[in-house]
Amino acid sequence: MSRIARHFNPAFVVAAAILILALPHIAANEYELRLITLLLIYAIIALGLNVLVGLTGLVSLGQAGLYAIGAYTAAILATRLGVGLVPGLILGMAFAGAFGVLLAYPTVRVRGVYLAVVTIAFGIIVENVAIEWDSLTGSWVGISNVPAPTLLGLPLDTNAYFIVVGASALIAFLVNLNLMNSRFGRAMRATAQSEIAARSLGINVVAIRTLAFVVSAMAAGAAGVFYVYLNKYISPDIFSFTDSIRFLLMVILGGSGTALGPVVGASIMTYLPEYLQAFGPWQAFAYGLLLAAVMFFLPRGIVGSVEHFLSGRMAEARPDTVREERPRLADIVAVDPADGSACLDARGVSVAFGGLVAVDKVDETVDSGKIHALIGPNGAGKSTFLNAISGVYRADSGSITFLGRDTTRLNSHQLARLGLARTFQNTELFSNMTVLENVLVAFHKEYRSNIFSTICRLPSFRRDERHFREAAIALLGFVGLSAYAHEKAENLAFGHQRQLEIARALALSPKLLLLDEPAAGLTHAEIEQLIALVRELAASGITILIVEHHVELIMEISDHVTVLDYGELIASGSAEEVQTDPKVIEAYFGSQSFGDGPEPAAGPGAGSAGGEA
Ligand code: ADP
Ligand code: MG
């Protein structure tokens, strides 16, 4: 993405402010100024919706309902209580924000098309309440005679009101921009791309989705308040389902997930119908055709496509990531020397999928600072066991103790915050984000600066951001990925993706690191590197539980080996003990003895049958 669009630029803000101040004088007439005011109101909605759709990957088709809540709040307050613009704005945004929390709740269970249906239902409910609650909303007649807006007791004329709306749109733009380029924006994008990975990094996905809903709802509420004072009259038909679609189209057409896209989209969707009036009866047809054409040729939206085109040409050398010597892990994240106590203790853990018992009453104790291996044929339940102890699945029975705490009922983001980090059998990177951003996501919970200081770019935010950026760069240096820091994660070679997943996990300052088949698909040289890395991690005090098919690797590095077969623990002991155990030889290699049989599914595609959650 181009730097211009992604970073706060004071010159841009000054230029935008001058433009807003000048527009009332440039505009040809009252009608044109009104149209531009409307455009800015739509831009506010679209910018808020961008946080939901573009960053968090959730679709709302109920924004018109939130827009209506803001509008009715302000209209009722103004006509009945003579309340001015600012209190109306605060209450309108607060009400809409509260409904945003309500709308976020279903995301605990539903997503995608189902969530879209929930938001459509919400929009319909609001519209119907506006129709039915006659005494409050005036039903179809609506609310008219809205007084002129007052700011701090002073009435605002058309020009002054335009400037207030313009300033608010500029603020909305900056909020969107600053949110995008912050830990919150990264957490939102991470959640959208891989929920399971985001959770494994300590991100409370429900909280992040709620935040996105609230931000988008407050923006829609504010837009509704501004609309009331522009139009002086509201009625239910202004807030229909069609309007919700239009708001969503603005974001998608302009380029969802970009800073300028929502503004461009709002401009097009405001002006296009005006220009198309020349087509007379063909107006609606031309409108539809144009939208379809843009989406067909520019699927990333207008701004998204331009940024994509530019980013290809503007690949810059960024010296900040080139480091001379390999940093020490202890200088980057907190690592405590191992004390030999039990790090993880699982007792009688069982997980069943319907009738299939994937993990059957498994006991496993992992001592701190040690390298434990979990082996077994494909489908033995190894990944399921890792998922159970890392909170991805809840064990059907049994108990799990991590660092002396009963963690049986904790979910994965809580476990991550306690110091349990993991990688995935099928790598779960945030593929659209850069390598550096992937690691930065994992520092989310370490930031001390709150959302307010983030949006306002206060010194506490800047300090945090600088600090963790340096730490993330150092971690990349530690695993040998410095050169790729600004590359998209999806462009990395497979071995590098695995390394990145480990770097990301290390950012949690883990006490226990779960590695699910980290050598699968690696070259011999990469496996050698991996062995050295795992040893180094263990030596620095991080306990390792590794699932692997690669026998030599396991025998070389493990202090202890546990063998699963059909979900049951069939052997447990040192590498030597396990190698000679007849039950293991039988289960794992048929009748062949350990080592000289055909090597079980190592290399690319190993264990692809074991599904991840
Ligand atoms: P491993 O990692 O040892 O290869 P897994 O733990 O992935 O094995 O799988 C153990 C068994 O559980 C397999 O039979 C697999 O098909 C089944 N299984 C794994 N995950 C699921 C799931 N989400 N739903 C249903 N069955 C599953
Ligand atoms: Mg597996």
Side-chain angles (χ1 to χ4, degrees):
M1 241 183 268
S2 80
R3 291 180 80 82
I4 316 131
R6 294 214 60 190
H7 295 274
F8 178 80
N9 188 335
F12 172 85
V13 176
V14 171
I18 291 174
L19 183 67
I20 289 165
L21 288 172
L23 267 172
H25 307 285
I26 303 172
N29 50 43
E30 190 108 331
Y31 178 75
E32 197 176 271
L33 190 64
R34 186 194 138 83
L35 206 59
I36 304 173
T37 315
L38 196 61
L39 181 169
L40 292 173
I41 290 172
Y42 288 156
I44 292 174
I45 300 189
L47 283 162
L49 192 52
N50 185 46
V51 173
L52 195 65
V53 178
L55 298 185
T56 321
L58 299 172
V59 173
S60 165
L61 277 167
Q63 280 326 85
L66 298 159
Y67 183 48
I69 286 169
Y72 274 99
T73 305
I76 291 164
L77 287 173
T79 51
R80 303 210 175 176
L81 301 173
V83 161
L85 178 61
V86 173
L89 204 52
I90 292 171
L91 280 170
M93 288 171 74
F95 265 135
F99 279 96
V101 176
L102 208 67
L103 267 180
Y105 183 71
T107 64
V108 174
R109 297 202 167 278
V110 299
R111 225 120 42 235
V113 181
Y114 303 98
L115 179 66
V117 171
V118 171
T119 59
I120 291 172
F122 169 77
I124 293 173
I125 291 170
V126 173
E127 195 183 345
N128 278 288
V129 169
I131 295 168
E132 301 299 335
W133 198 347
D134 201 347
S135 61
L136 192 70
T137 63
S139 190
W140 286 113
V141 179
I143 300 174
S144 52
N145 301 323
V146 176
T150 57
L151 187 66
L152 310 172
L154 301 171
L156 299 172
D157 65 8
T158 315
N159 288 2
Y161 187 60
F162 171 81
I163 289 167
V164 170
V165 175
S168 305
L170 185 56
I171 290 171
F173 176 80
L174 293 176
V175 168
N176 182 46
L177 184 69
N178 289 350
L179 207 57
M180 269 172 70
N181 298 299
S182 76
R183 67 170 170 131
F184 296 103
R186 284 191 294 266
M188 287 169 179
R189 286 158 63 207
T191 303
Q193 283 175 46
S194 171
E195 180 176 344
I196 185 174
R199 286 183 193 276
S200 82
L201 300 175
I203 290 171
N204 183 343
V205 167
V206 174
I208 283 292
R209 292 205 174 108
T210 306
L211 174 67
F213 259 106
V214 169
V215 170
S216 80
M218 286 171 73
V225 174
F226 287 128
Y227 182 78
V228 166
Y229 287 106
L230 177 72
N231 212 35
K232 306 280 193 296
Y233 160 74
I234 52 166
S235 65
D237 49 353
I238 301 169
F239 309 101
S240 66
F241 176 54
T242 324
D243 294 285
S244 288
I245 296 179
R246 217 147 46 91
F247 299 146
L248 186 62
L249 266 177
M250 289 176 188
V251 179
I252 308 236
L253 191 68
S256 75
T258 66
L260 276 173
V263 182
V264 171
S267 311
I268 294 173
M269 300 292 288
T270 313
Y271 274 95
L272 201 58
E274 298 289 316
Y275 289 129
L276 291 181
Q277 274 174 10
F279 287 84
W282 293 97
Q283 184 186 340
F285 180 71
Y287 185 65
L289 201 65
L290 259 171
L291 292 185
V294 170
M295 288 325 298
F296 184 79
F297 292 108
L298 305 171
R300 294 165 199 269
I302 294 168
V303 177
S305 300
V306 171
E307 282 186 356
H308 184 69
F309 175 75
L310 289 180
S311 70
R313 341 209 104 202
M314 298 208 315
E316 301 162 54
R318 285 142 163 154
D320 63 340
T321 52
V322 179
R323 275 178 151 263
E324 298 300 318
E325 65 206 54
R326 185 164 175 264
R328 274 163 25 93
L329 186 64
D331 294 336
I332 315 169
V333 294
V335 283
D336 307 325
D339 58 6
S341 60
C343 176
L344 180 90
D345 190 32
R347 293 282 121 210
V349 169
S350 298
V351 179
F353 300 107
L356 175 89
V357 182
V359 173
D360 194 4
K361 299 195 212 66
V362 169
D363 296 328
E364 169 87 325
T365 305
V366 184
D367 297 324
S368 79
K370 291 288 192 303
I371 302 175
H372 272 234
L374 191 59
I375 65 170
N378 264 336
K382 306 177 299 291
S383 294
T384 305
F385 182 72
L386 291 195
N387 283 336
I389 59 180
S390 64
V392 173
Y393 299 148
R394 188 154 287 172
D396 295 313
S397 64
S399 68
I400 300 160
T401 312
F402 175 52
L403 301 174
R405 265 182 74 158
D406 180 11
T407 58
T408 315
R409 309 204 68 77
L410 295 192
N411 53 38
S412 68
H413 80 260
Q414 292 167 320
L415 280 156
R417 289 173 186 212
L418 290 179
L420 189 151
R422 65 169 297 179
T423 64
F424 296 87
Q425 182 171 345
N426 305 311
T427 45
E428 289 278 347
L429 292 174
F430 308 122
S431 49
N432 283 338
M433 297 166 74
T434 66
V435 168
L436 183 63
E437 284 173 325
N438 265 271
V439 180
L440 274 171
V441 170
F443 283 114
H444 180 78
K445 66 173 176 88
E446 301 259 4
Y447 277 66
R448 290 288 153 259
S449 47
N450 58 22
I451 184 124
F452 179 76
S453 62
T454 300
I455 287 174
C456 301
R457 292 296 193 247
L458 297 184
S460 61
F461 161 81
R462 290 170 190 275
R463 227 175 8 248
D464 267 354
E465 190 68 18
R466 203 178 318 116
H467 176 78
F468 290 113
R469 208 182 147 84
E470 273 166 19
I473 289 170
L475 267 179
L476 291 178
F478 178 73
V479 299
L481 287 177
S482 297
Y484 305 97
H486 299 288
E487 193 72 55
K488 284 253 177 75
E490 63 192 354
N491 296 337
L492 288 186
F494 194 66
H496 289 156
Q497 294 197 6
R498 292 244 182 241
Q499 285 174 326
L500 175 56
E501 228 189 9
I502 293 177
R504 189 176 71 176
L506 290 176
L508 291 174
S509 299
K511 301 278 183 288
L512 174 63
L513 177 60
L514 312 180
L515 301 169
D516 198 349
E517 303 201 16
L522 299 195
T523 64
H524 262 287
E526 285 170 337
I527 290 175
E528 289 304 315
Q529 278 180 5
L530 177 71
I531 290 174
L533 180 66
V534 170
R535 284 211 168 113
E536 192 180 352
L537 295 178
S540 63
I542 297 173
T543 312
I544 310 272
L545 178 56
I546 180 171
V547 167
E548 204 24 85
H549 271 285
H550 201 278
V551 177
E552 283 154 48
L553 187 150
I554 291 300
M555 294 309 156
E556 200 177 328
I557 63 171
S558 315
D559 296 307
H560 189 101
V561 179
T562 302
V563 188
L564 292 186
D565 190 26
Y566 292 109
E568 283 181 43
L569 191 153
I570 57 166
S572 180
S574 70
E576 294 77 41
E577 286 163 7
V578 164
Q579 279 184 78
T580 51
D581 190 316
K583 266 197 292 185
V584 176
I585 296 169
E586 175 64 28
Y588 214 80
F589 300 101
S591 55
Q592 307 248 11
S593 66
F594 221 99
D596 32 82
E599 196 168 282
S608 55
E612 285 294 344

